Amino acid sequence: MKNLKGLLVTVLLLLSVGCQSIKQKEKLNIIVFLVDDMGWQDTSVPFWNERTPYNNVYQTPNMERLASAGMKFTQAYACAVCSPTRVSLMTGMNAAHHRVTNWTLRKDVQPVADDDKLAQPDWNVNGMSPDEGIPNTIYATPLPQLLKDAGYFTIHSGKAHLGAIGTPGSDPLNLGFDVNIAGHAAGAPGSYYGTESFGNDDPNRTTWAVPGLEKYHGKDIYLSEAITREAAHAMDSAVNNDQPFFLYMAHYAVHTPIQGDDRFVQKYLDQGLLPTEAKYASMVEGMDKSLGDIMDFLIEKQIEENTVILFMSDNGGLSAVARGGEKHTHNKPLSSGKGSAHEGGIREPMIVKWPGKVKPNSVTHDYLIIEDFFPSILEIASITDYQTVQPIDGVSFVPLLTHQNVSSSKDRPLFWHYPNRWGPLGPGIGASSTVRLGDWKLIYYHSDRSFELFNLRDDIGETRNRASDSREKLKELALVLTNYLKQVNAQMPLDKQTGQVVEYPSDLLD
Ligand code: CA
């Protein structure tokens, strides 16, 4: 009898272990690997139809590894600056709709003052909020909350930049994350160096001091490495608890300050890069190492086959000269960079690996935009029956990944809306509204009501403004843009000279 009891216990134990492993494996783990300010060309993976000199400068072997196992998107779009992209990802809404149109930091304070010509509208300067009634926020059901409610262990690692200081949205733990590693209101680290306690040693810059990570303070470790190790600990606990996980691996890198990652910087100096360029390239490679470490972790834990990785950047490379700095990236053949409505500001390196579903080493030239991540991730997680307080603008790109119902994206318009001021100057930078439809893209500049119309198929560098020679196309796109802006009640700036709200684009054409 005693033996029988023992046998039963053993069988039950074995059964429960068996069930646990099925439980982990029956759901897909999902990793969003979001890089900050990484340009389309800051990688050894070519995203254009030919290799560029930049693809030979930057060394990202783990992105190459990811691309060889997954699908590369050559026309993936985000917004031109940080917070709008991040809020779109977390809410599924277009920036014109959620109204977090510029980057956020201090409660009720514009990050960049108005210029002489335009007064910025009353946009959602405090970012997103999981709670109703917080002034100047978009009240929304955050993506990680839906994943958590469906049984996912939700991990935030790195930069949040989703809500202003002192508002609920500034803390990832209020947005449905079970774990928050190093995320808060600020969109840049005080320092990437553990030896500088990631900015906590400077009493004059506490706003930018990276929270948490105390165990690495004073240590010789780069921020990208520290948040990767902590993310691995968190993933490990999910695996041990037999729970599927969602990891939002949102690197602070490669945003300013441009601080060299000493593990990699020398070889770029040896290549003849200028010091700032070499430091930047080393930050890119440090980020890439993080990607490789995470991929290795998945193999080690035998969860590679049921884990989806989505690689993306939140806006274009910073090609405008950073304050007091040297130019460190270019985005060419694209025009301009971060902050710009031109392709250099919004076209991102994107790769998706989904074992068994996505064809290895595949590529798509169909376009998509950042709010599409929201419904796509929920579809990947097989979460179909969910409720959100906000309407979802994004469209799932799962059919693109799996080649089901492949309808080209060419009939779908994409929209950007930036009724704000960024600061640095350059091509395509300034308050504007933009539509992409098929090969064409129209940018409407609020300040002087001018238009730029480009055919991206013929002119990826946006060098030839076709607004005057393609009047019908101009009018067609202006109407599509106007209708959308009206539909979502998009906020336009005020013209200080006329005292009037800036017109919608179609109102200027007849
Ligand atoms: Ca950014």
Side-chain angles (χ1 to χ4, degrees):
M1 191 65 191
K2 208 174 175 185
N3 277 348
L4 190 62
K5 217 173 175 182
L7 186 67
L8 264 174
V9 169
T10 309
V11 168
L12 282 172
L13 268 175
L14 281 172
L15 272 175
S16 76
V17 168
C19 285
Q20 276 178 9
S21 66
I22 289 166
K23 224 165 137 194
Q24 221 304 318
K25 306 254 167 172
E26 75 191 10
K27 278 265 183 189
L28 291 168
N29 304 303
I30 300 170
I31 297 174
V32 171
F33 193 100
L34 186 71
V35 191
D36 194 3
D37 286 13
M38 180 185 175
W40 196 56
Q41 290 296 310
D42 303 340
T43 166
S44 49
V45 176
F47 280 87
W48 193 28
N49 55 14
E50 58 185 83
R51 280 190 82 81
T52 68
Y54 302 106
N55 299 143
N56 296 330
V57 168
Y58 295 101
Q59 295 177 26
T60 56
N62 295 296
M63 284 182 69
E64 291 176 36
R65 193 175 147 195
L66 190 69
S68 71
M71 180 179 278
K72 190 167 72 170
F73 288 75
T74 62
Q75 304 197 66
Y77 288 108
C79 307
V81 296
C82 307
S83 301
T85 285
R86 289 157 192 269
V87 172
S88 287
L89 171 56
M90 290 295 168
T91 64
M93 301 175 83
N94 184 268
H97 205 176
H98 64 55
R99 298 184 167 185
V100 187
T101 47
N102 209 359
W103 60 279
T104 57
L105 183 63
R106 294 188 170 83
K107 192 176 179 183
D108 300 329
V109 179
Q110 298 246 30
V112 186
D114 295 339
D115 62 16
D116 296 341
K117 288 186 174 169
L118 298 176
Q120 297 170 79
D122 188 21
W123 60 285
N124 280 331
V125 66
N126 292 332
M128 69 180 288
S129 175
D131 302 333
E132 201 171 3
I134 309 295
N136 296 112
T137 63
I138 176 69
Y139 166 50
T141 309
L143 175 66
Q145 186 66 54
L146 294 168
L147 290 157
K148 182 178 175 170
D149 292 347
Y152 273 81
F153 186 67
T154 49
I155 307 160
H156 180 283
S157 186
K159 165 171 160 170
H161 206 194
L162 294 160
I165 295 168
T167 67
S170 65
D171 184 350
L173 295 180
N174 294 330
L175 299 171
F177 284 106
D178 290 308
V179 173
N180 173 30
I181 300 158
H184 64 150
S191 170
Y192 282 97
Y193 297 131
T195 50
E196 296 175 352
S197 305
F198 310 118
N200 285 274
D201 292 347
D202 185 346
N204 297 318
R205 286 177 57 81
T206 49
T207 301
W208 306 96
V210 178
L213 303 178
E214 284 83 2
K215 75 187 200 199
Y216 299 104
H217 288 187
K219 304 270 169 60
D220 184 14
I221 187 169
Y222 203 80
L223 179 57
S224 305
E225 178 73 24
I227 60 175
T228 304
R229 288 188 196 173
E230 291 305 301
H233 287 314
M235 284 189 287
D236 202 29
S237 70
V239 174
N240 290 336
N241 289 330
D242 190 25
Q243 212 178 345
F245 62 80
F246 169 64
L247 168 62
Y248 179 58
M249 186 72 220
H251 273 283
Y252 279 94
V254 293
H255 196 288
T256 55
I258 304 302
Q259 295 178 314
D261 187 331
D262 291 338
R263 297 172 295 178
F264 307 106
V265 76
Q266 188 58 47
K267 67 177 169 188
Y268 295 103
L269 289 168
D270 293 345
Q271 279 184 35
L273 268 62
L274 296 171
T276 305
E277 292 171 339
K279 285 179 192 168
Y280 180 71
S282 77
M283 294 170 76
V284 170
E285 190 164 348
M287 168 283 295
D288 183 79
K289 178 186 182 289
S290 163
L291 176 66
D293 289 348
I294 287 172
M295 291 167 75
D296 290 343
F297 173 88
L298 302 177
I299 293 168
E300 185 195 323
K301 298 292 172 184
Q302 299 182 321
I303 53 172
E304 187 196 20
E305 292 304 310
N306 66 312
T307 302
V308 179
I309 303 176
L310 303 103
F311 182 102
M312 185 66 172
S313 174
D314 75 334
N315 51 250
L318 178 65
S319 62
V321 176
R323 202 176 299 156
E326 303 161 17
K327 209 174 177 77
H328 59 263
T329 190
H330 305 269
N331 306 305
K332 289 172 189 167
L334 306 183
S335 166
S336 204
K338 179 177 182 177
S340 173
H342 282 192
E343 295 290 295
I346 54 177
R347 195 185 285 214
E348 313 303 334
M350 176 177 166
I351 305 166
V352 178
K353 174 177 182 276
W354 184 354
K357 282 276 192 179
V358 169
K359 198 172 155 206
N361 208 21
S362 55
V363 57
T364 180
H365 305 295
D366 278 307
Y367 54 67
L368 59 83
I369 189 164
I370 188 68
E371 54 262 30
D372 298 345
F373 276 65
F374 188 104
S376 304
I377 288 167
L378 292 170
E379 187 174 344
I380 291 168
S382 299
I383 301 171
T384 49
D385 185 23
Y386 59 88
Q387 305 254 310
T388 56
V389 295
Q390 74 277 22
I392 306 301
D393 300 317
V395 175
S396 173
F397 51 73
V398 168
L400 295 181
L401 292 171
T402 55
H403 290 286
Q404 293 163 344
N405 307 320
V406 177
S407 63
S408 166
S409 61
K410 285 186 176 302
D411 298 332
R412 177 192 175 200
L414 300 183
F415 300 100
W416 294 261
H417 184 60
Y418 188 76
N420 300 90
R421 184 159 173 242
W422 184 53
L425 303 175
I429 295 176
S432 65
S433 304
T434 300
V435 57
R436 162 116 196 232
L437 182 58
D439 294 332
W440 293 87
K441 177 171 149 189
L442 176 71
I443 307 171
Y444 168 55
Y445 293 97
H446 301 161
S447 183
D448 61 0
R449 322 294 203 272
S450 64
F451 293 100
E452 281 184 321
L453 178 69
F454 298 111
N455 185 314
L456 296 174
R457 175 177 287 268
D458 302 340
D459 180 23
I460 196 173
E462 294 168 291
T463 59
R464 295 187 298 279
N465 183 0
R466 307 282 301 274
S468 51
D469 73 39
S470 303
R471 187 89 180 158
E472 286 311 307
K473 185 56 77 175
L474 171 71
K475 285 166 80 170
E476 177 197 331
L477 289 194
L479 186 60
V480 172
L481 179 56
T482 297
N483 287 343
Y484 185 73
L485 295 173
K486 284 182 180 171
Q487 182 195 322
V488 298
N489 199 14
Q491 299 172 298
M492 301 300 284
L494 190 81
D495 184 318
K496 286 183 173 176
Q497 274 192 327
T498 65
Q500 302 290 313
V501 172
V502 169
E503 304 87 342
Y504 286 131
S506 280
D507 299 343
L508 300 164
L509 303 166
D510 44 45

